[in-house]
């Protein structure tokens, strides 16, 4: 398993390895955008104060609050991408674990061909042919596991991915619309030299804008078309399991568990080490008692509740 | 004017200079996110092909197309931020140009105070006091220009900024929702060893998803609450101008010209050099014949039409 952490990936998992790596750069870029955006928000408030114009000072300070919250949503988006990236790793681990059984089968076939050419009477040929039958059986299992895991996790990964895109977008729209309300509190009627703008009359309304934004964000719920899955009875060893719902139970389930997963992410980064080995997808096509134990453990971990989204920047 | 390009900013424009600098980092981060996201889109399509699973191959290829378009929207957002940044520079340039008149007034006051202490009978005092009256008049004009330009351009800048936030979000929601439709074309019913998934039946539907996404994006229009402005008659020299609409014309105008500006941005980057000196905001409080010429030139440039948004990645 040591090669999984290095750059030497089995041929089968090289392409997904690249995606996982590039996605890490995407995440870093969104994190940087969030970090710098918070900087602009703070600097905007400081600039407004320094103008000694009460109107600009009040409005820029409140704009800064909303802008910092937009940055917070950008950062949560990056965290959700990290979660999706964890699901891609489950496919990659399965790909890596299937490679040896392909190699093993090919190696035995090669040996048989060589022996038949060099020592056609060798008794070892019969022995190798028996071994090949076993290797082919093992390989059939491995390939079925690969396609089962790939399809299930592919849907799950991009379900999360695009749900996160929609959630970031919808929340940032809420915040940007309230920010635009603040701008209309600035009276930009030009003054002649020596005249002053009238005193700022929008203090109460500006405060109300922040309250409204906070309320809207607190009441926000993600509504997306569910992604349907038939993999619900995918059992231990990534093989079709027994129907769990009894007669008449619909086999189609929605895999959209995005909110639960966001909750898990908020508790800490989806560490690579916690993914490897804890999922049925990374199990080799061998007896499954250990896999059973781990799958049960994973099911327990998924009960973790999501954290409610809170508008933290309003004093 | 050489100091405007260096790190030595006049005290008055230091804080805005910082915002403009940090905003450049934000823009760079969103550009990087867009670039890397395009990379993931391409790698996703390549991975899908390599799985030799027709379903995964078709769906991942189409997902890649939508993902590349999401990246394109991220990049357009970065360009729109560049545009908003150009408006901030107009405020900064005005701040920089007002600094000398503040300094000049303070210097004369100082000289008078010193002379009155050292040589109370000096005839130079009368001369300096006359100069101070002129400096105060100039300073009053400069401060009026500063507040007029600041309020007008502040509203304009953040009008653009938050309109761009909303536009990126709404377009990415469109694309992400269509991407989720594609996921439902993947049948993830588990297979037993030796069995194959049925052939992919969603080719036509997958193509339709891309067509729908393209149509939705083509028909997209940004609808935001307009930002109202009373600065419509802000004339040459950043002073209140004569009403242009005649009797009964409403003075309130909407400054929301976001779409026009996006069009300008698409023609090329909002270069710093093109901002400096072409706006009334950066004019010193002196005779305005040159300013008049430049303002007219700028008005002509703004006629540039926006480019229609096209869904370029669909073959």
């Amino acid at each position: 398993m040591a090669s999984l952490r290095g750059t030497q990936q089995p041929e089968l998992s090289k392409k997904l390895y690249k995606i996982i790596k590039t996605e890490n750069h995407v995440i870093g870029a969104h994190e940087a955008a969030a970090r710098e955006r918070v900087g602009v928000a703070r600097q905007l408030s400081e600039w407004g104060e320094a103008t000694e114009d009460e109107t600009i000072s009040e409005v820029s300070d409140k704009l800064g609050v909303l802008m910092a919250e937009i940055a917070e949503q950008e950062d949560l988006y990056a965290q959700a991408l990290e979660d999706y990236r964890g699901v891609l790793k489950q496919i990659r681990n399965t790909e890596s674990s299937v490679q040896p059984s392909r190699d093993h089968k090919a190696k035995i076939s090669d040996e048989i061909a060589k022996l038949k050419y060099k020592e056609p009477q060798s008794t070892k040929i019969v022995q190798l042919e028996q071994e090949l039958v076993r290797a082919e059986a093992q390989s059939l299992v491995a390939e079925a596991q690969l396609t089962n895991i790939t399809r299930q996790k592919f849907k799950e990964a991009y379900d999360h991915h695009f749900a996160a895109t929609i959630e970031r977008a919808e929340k940032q729209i809420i915040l940007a619309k309230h920010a635009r309300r603040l701008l209309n509190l600035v009276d930009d009627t030009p003054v002649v030299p020596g005249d002053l703008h009238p005193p700022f009359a929008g203090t109460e309304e500006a405060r109300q804008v922040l309250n409204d934004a906070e309320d809207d964000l607190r009441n926000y719920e993600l509504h997306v078309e569910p992604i349907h899955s038939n993999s619900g009875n995918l059992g231990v060893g990534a093989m079709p399991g027994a129907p769990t719902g009894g007669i008449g139970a619909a086999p189609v389930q929605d895999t959209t568990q995005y909110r639960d997963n966001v909750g898990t992410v908020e508790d800490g980064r989806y560490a690579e080490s916690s993914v490897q080995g804890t999922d049925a997808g990374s199990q080799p096509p061998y007896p499954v008692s250990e896999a059973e134990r781990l799958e049960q453990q994973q099911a327990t971990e998924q009960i973790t509740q999501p954290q409610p989204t809170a508008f933290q920047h309003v004093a």
Side-chain angles (χ1 to χ4, degrees), chain A:
Chain A
M1 294 290 277
S3 70
L4 283 183
R5 290 169 182 256
T7 49
Q8 282 303 313
Q9 288 286 314
E11 191 58 35
L12 196 55
S13 57
K14 263 185 184 162
K15 289 192 190 299
L16 201 47
Y17 179 82
K18 261 202 243 171
I19 295 180
I20 291 165
K21 202 172 166 187
T22 312
E23 200 64 68
N24 201 35
H25 298 163
V26 177
I27 291 166
H30 285 292
E31 283 172 343
R35 205 166 47 239
E36 300 288 348
R37 170 65 58 226
V38 170
V40 170
R42 202 188 55 244
Q43 290 163 356
L44 179 62
S45 168
E46 287 168 7
W47 168 77
E49 195 176 12
T51 61
E52 295 177 10
D53 176 337
E54 190 199 354
T55 300
I56 294 291
S57 176
E58 281 283 318
V59 171
S60 67
D61 189 50
K62 301 281 188 293
L63 270 191
V65 171
L66 293 178
M67 199 183 268
E69 188 58 34
I70 285 175
E72 172 71 13
Q73 295 305 324
E74 194 75 23
D75 197 59
L76 288 173
Y77 173 64
Q79 288 181 38
L81 287 182
E82 193 65 56
D83 183 29
Y84 133 81
R85 205 168 149 258
V87 181
L88 290 185
K89 285 178 187 168
Q90 296 178 36
I91 305 178
R92 182 204 59 190
N93 291 352
T94 304
E95 288 179 338
S96 300
S97 76
V98 166
Q99 186 74 57
S101 75
R102 283 196 187 177
D103 295 346
H104 185 52
K105 201 179 77 174
K107 196 184 151 202
I108 298 170
S109 296
D110 272 7
E111 280 182 43
I112 292 171
K114 273 185 205 160
L115 268 181
K116 278 187 174 168
Y117 178 75
K118 286 187 188 169
E119 309 171 48
Q121 305 306 325
S122 169
T123 55
K124 215 186 163 191
I125 291 177
V126 176
Q127 190 195 327
L128 280 171
E129 277 173 340
Q130 285 171 1
E131 204 175 318
L132 181 61
V133 172
R134 291 195 297 274
E136 277 170 344
Q138 197 193 69
S139 184
L140 276 180
V141 171
E143 300 295 342
Q145 288 175 321
L146 177 59
T147 188
N148 289 343
I149 291 288
T150 299
R151 289 192 174 204
Q152 182 198 5
K153 295 298 174 186
F154 174 74
K155 290 179 82 165
E156 186 184 327
Y158 287 97
D159 178 358
H160 286 198
H161 181 107
F162 292 112
T165 305
I166 293 167
E167 179 161 347
R168 169 184 74 152
E170 289 181 340
K171 286 183 171 174
Q172 290 187 343
I173 286 170
I174 289 171
L175 292 159
K177 285 189 171 169
H178 285 299
R180 291 176 65 83
R181 285 173 63 198
L182 288 174
L183 293 181
N184 272 327
L185 300 178
V186 176
D187 175 10
D188 62 353
T189 311
V191 295
V192 294
D195 266 14
L196 293 173
H197 281 106
F200 184 54
T203 308
E204 193 45 53
E205 207 176 330
R207 199 174 293 132
Q208 189 57 45
V209 169
L210 288 198
N211 289 340
D212 291 350
E214 188 176 5
D215 287 348
D216 285 356
L217 219 58
R218 193 187 298 114
N219 298 327
Y220 172 84
E221 284 178 25
L222 177 68
H223 295 291
V224 288
E225 287 292 315
I227 305 299
H228 305 291
S229 176
N230 283 313
S231 73
N233 62 345
L234 186 63
V236 166
M239 286 295 125
T244 53
I247 294 156
V252 175
Q253 303 181 351
D254 293 343
T255 59
T256 305
Q257 303 175 326
Y258 176 64
R259 300 210 60 83
D260 288 338
N261 279 287
V262 167
T264 317
V265 166
E266 280 172 354
D267 297 335
R269 279 311 174 85
Y270 205 118
E272 177 155 5
S273 59
S274 77
V275 174
Q276 287 182 353
T278 61
D279 186 81
S282 60
Q283 294 304 317
Y286 299 121
V288 291
S289 63
E290 175 68 356
E292 239 166 348
R293 194 186 62 74
L294 287 166
E295 194 172 59
Q296 210 159 14
Q297 179 189 326
Q298 195 192 30
T300 315
E301 281 167 0
Q302 280 185 348
I303 296 171
T304 316
Q305 288 303 307
Q307 308 284 338
T309 307
F311 193 33
Q312 298 161 357
H313 297 270
V314 179

